[in-house]
mmCIF file of all heavy atoms in Angstrom:
data_model
loop_
_atom_site.group_PDB
_atom_site.id
_atom_site.type_symbol
_atom_site.label_atom_id
_atom_site.label_comp_id
_atom_site.label_asym_id
_atom_site.label_seq_id
_atom_site.Cartn_x
_atom_site.Cartn_y
_atom_site.Cartn_z
ATOM 1 N N ASP A 352 98.837 123.297 130.074
ATOM 2 C CA ASP A 352 99.308 122.997 131.431
ATOM 3 C C ASP A 352 98.456 121.868 132.002
ATOM 4 O O ASP A 352 97.255 122.032 132.218
ATOM 5 C CB ASP A 352 99.211 124.242 132.313
ATOM 6 C CG ASP A 352 99.788 124.008 133.710
ATOM 7 O OD1 ASP A 352 100.251 122.883 133.985
ATOM 8 O OD2 ASP A 352 99.768 124.957 134.527
ATOM 9 N N LEU A 353 99.075 120.706 132.243
ATOM 10 C CA LEU A 353 98.337 119.536 132.699
ATOM 11 C C LEU A 353 98.275 119.421 134.212
ATOM 12 O O LEU A 353 97.794 118.413 134.744
ATOM 13 C CB LEU A 353 98.980 118.271 132.117
ATOM 14 C CG LEU A 353 99.027 118.185 130.583
ATOM 15 C CD1 LEU A 353 99.690 116.882 130.159
ATOM 16 C CD2 LEU A 353 97.644 118.308 129.986
ATOM 17 N N THR A 354 98.734 120.428 134.929
ATOM 18 C CA THR A 354 98.700 120.377 136.390
ATOM 19 C C THR A 354 97.257 120.371 136.891
ATOM 20 O O THR A 354 96.471 121.256 136.538
ATOM 21 C CB THR A 354 99.431 121.587 136.994
ATOM 22 O OG1 THR A 354 100.769 121.628 136.485
ATOM 23 C CG2 THR A 354 99.475 121.497 138.509
ATOM 24 N N PRO A 355 96.859 119.373 137.689
ATOM 25 C CA PRO A 355 95.480 119.343 138.196
ATOM 26 C C PRO A 355 95.171 120.568 139.064
ATOM 27 O O PRO A 355 96.040 121.076 139.779
ATOM 28 C CB PRO A 355 95.437 118.069 139.036
ATOM 29 C CG PRO A 355 96.574 117.235 138.542
ATOM 30 C CD PRO A 355 97.638 118.202 138.128
ATOM 31 N N VAL A 356 93.944 121.023 138.993
ATOM 32 C CA VAL A 356 93.481 122.161 139.804
ATOM 33 C C VAL A 356 92.497 121.636 140.847
ATOM 34 O O VAL A 356 91.515 120.966 140.497
ATOM 35 C CB VAL A 356 92.814 123.240 138.930
ATOM 36 C CG1 VAL A 356 92.256 124.359 139.799
ATOM 37 C CG2 VAL A 356 93.806 123.793 137.916
ATOM 38 N N ILE A 357 92.763 121.925 142.118
ATOM 39 C CA ILE A 357 91.907 121.466 143.219
ATOM 40 C C ILE A 357 91.255 122.675 143.861
ATOM 41 O O ILE A 357 91.938 123.629 144.263
ATOM 42 C CB ILE A 357 92.729 120.689 144.265
ATOM 43 C CG1 ILE A 357 93.411 119.476 143.604
ATOM 44 C CG2 ILE A 357 91.836 120.236 145.417
ATOM 45 C CD1 ILE A 357 94.329 118.714 144.528
ATOM 46 N N GLU A 358 89.931 122.647 143.966
ATOM 47 C CA GLU A 358 89.170 123.743 144.557
ATOM 48 C C GLU A 358 88.303 123.206 145.691
ATOM 49 O O GLU A 358 87.586 122.218 145.517
ATOM 50 C CB GLU A 358 88.299 124.425 143.498
ATOM 51 C CG GLU A 358 89.094 125.075 142.364
ATOM 52 C CD GLU A 358 88.201 125.694 141.314
ATOM 53 O OE1 GLU A 358 87.276 124.987 140.853
ATOM 54 O OE2 GLU A 358 88.417 126.867 140.967
ATOM 55 N N GLY A 359 88.359 123.856 146.826
ATOM 56 C CA GLY A 359 87.569 123.430 147.976
ATOM 57 C C GLY A 359 88.456 123.073 149.152
ATOM 58 O O GLY A 359 89.693 123.100 149.073
ATOM 59 N N LEU A 360 87.829 122.723 150.279
ATOM 60 C CA LEU A 360 88.555 122.405 151.503
ATOM 61 C C LEU A 360 88.922 120.928 151.547
ATOM 62 O O LEU A 360 88.151 120.061 151.136
ATOM 63 C CB LEU A 360 87.703 122.753 152.727
ATOM 64 C CG LEU A 360 87.313 124.237 152.884
ATOM 65 C CD1 LEU A 360 86.410 124.410 154.096
ATOM 66 C CD2 LEU A 360 88.561 125.107 153.015
ATOM 67 N N ALA A 361 90.115 120.647 152.043
ATOM 68 C CA ALA A 361 90.562 119.262 152.184
ATOM 69 C C ALA A 361 89.769 118.559 153.283
ATOM 70 O O ALA A 361 89.323 119.184 154.251
ATOM 71 C CB ALA A 361 92.057 119.225 152.503
ATOM 72 N N LEU A 362 89.571 117.280 153.127
ATOM 73 C CA LEU A 362 88.901 116.496 154.156
ATOM 74 C C LEU A 362 89.821 116.368 155.373
ATOM 75 O O LEU A 362 91.048 116.432 155.255
ATOM 76 C CB LEU A 362 88.554 115.107 153.623
ATOM 77 C CG LEU A 362 87.594 115.056 152.422
ATOM 78 C CD1 LEU A 362 87.370 113.610 152.001
ATOM 79 C CD2 LEU A 362 86.267 115.727 152.752
ATOM 80 N N PRO A 363 89.231 116.189 156.566
ATOM 81 C CA PRO A 363 90.072 116.046 157.765
ATOM 82 C C PRO A 363 90.931 114.785 157.691
ATOM 83 O O PRO A 363 90.527 113.771 157.111
ATOM 84 C CB PRO A 363 89.049 115.960 158.899
ATOM 85 C CG PRO A 363 87.782 115.508 158.250
ATOM 86 C CD PRO A 363 87.786 116.109 156.889
ATOM 87 N N ILE A 364 92.115 114.863 158.257
ATOM 88 C CA ILE A 364 93.021 113.719 158.270
ATOM 89 C C ILE A 364 92.485 112.658 159.228
ATOM 90 O O ILE A 364 92.074 112.957 160.356
ATOM 91 C CB ILE A 364 94.427 114.165 158.699
ATOM 92 C CG1 ILE A 364 94.988 115.160 157.674
ATOM 93 C CG2 ILE A 364 95.359 112.965 158.824
ATOM 94 C CD1 ILE A 364 96.333 115.724 158.058
ATOM 95 N N MET A 365 92.525 111.406 158.781
ATOM 96 C CA MET A 365 92.044 110.298 159.609
ATOM 97 C C MET A 365 92.970 110.101 160.801
ATOM 98 O O MET A 365 94.183 109.986 160.640
ATOM 99 C CB MET A 365 91.963 109.023 158.785
ATOM 100 C CG MET A 365 91.489 107.816 159.574
ATOM 101 S SD MET A 365 91.363 106.338 158.529
ATOM 102 C CE MET A 365 90.922 105.117 159.748
ATOM 103 N N PRO A 366 92.425 110.056 162.005
ATOM 104 C CA PRO A 366 93.272 109.822 163.182
ATOM 105 C C PRO A 366 93.958 108.464 163.102
ATOM 106 O O PRO A 366 93.416 107.504 162.555
ATOM 107 C CB PRO A 366 92.281 109.878 164.349
ATOM 108 C CG PRO A 366 91.085 110.597 163.823
ATOM 109 C CD PRO A 366 91.014 110.258 162.372
ATOM 110 N N THR A 367 95.139 108.363 163.649
ATOM 111 C CA THR A 367 95.891 107.108 163.613
ATOM 112 C C THR A 367 95.524 106.154 164.749
ATOM 113 O O THR A 367 95.911 104.987 164.724
ATOM 114 C CB THR A 367 97.400 107.397 163.676
ATOM 115 O OG1 THR A 367 97.685 108.100 164.888
ATOM 116 C CG2 THR A 367 97.837 108.227 162.476
ATOM 117 N N ASP A 368 94.783 106.663 165.755
ATOM 118 C CA ASP A 368 94.496 105.836 166.927
ATOM 119 C C ASP A 368 93.098 105.231 166.913
ATOM 120 O O ASP A 368 92.623 104.734 167.946
ATOM 121 C CB ASP A 368 94.686 106.655 168.216
ATOM 122 C CG ASP A 368 93.801 107.893 168.227
ATOM 123 O OD1 ASP A 368 93.215 108.231 167.160
ATOM 124 O OD2 ASP A 368 93.701 108.532 169.284
ATOM 125 N N VAL A 369 92.418 105.261 165.773
ATOM 126 C CA VAL A 369 91.083 104.678 165.682
ATOM 127 C C VAL A 369 91.033 103.740 164.479
ATOM 128 O O VAL A 369 91.715 103.954 163.470
ATOM 129 C CB VAL A 369 89.987 105.757 165.564
ATOM 130 C CG1 VAL A 369 89.964 106.647 166.791
ATOM 131 C CG2 VAL A 369 90.174 106.581 164.302
ATOM 132 N N ALA A 370 90.210 102.688 164.605
ATOM 133 C CA ALA A 370 90.073 101.742 163.504
ATOM 134 C C ALA A 370 89.053 102.222 162.487
ATOM 135 O O ALA A 370 89.181 101.974 161.292
ATOM 136 C CB ALA A 370 89.698 100.371 164.044
#
Side-chain angles (χ1 to χ4, degrees):
D352 184 0
L353 300 180
T354 304
V356 176
I357 301 175
E358 297 178 310
L360 298 177
L362 299 179
I364 297 176
M365 179 178 176
T367 59
D368 58 349
V369 298

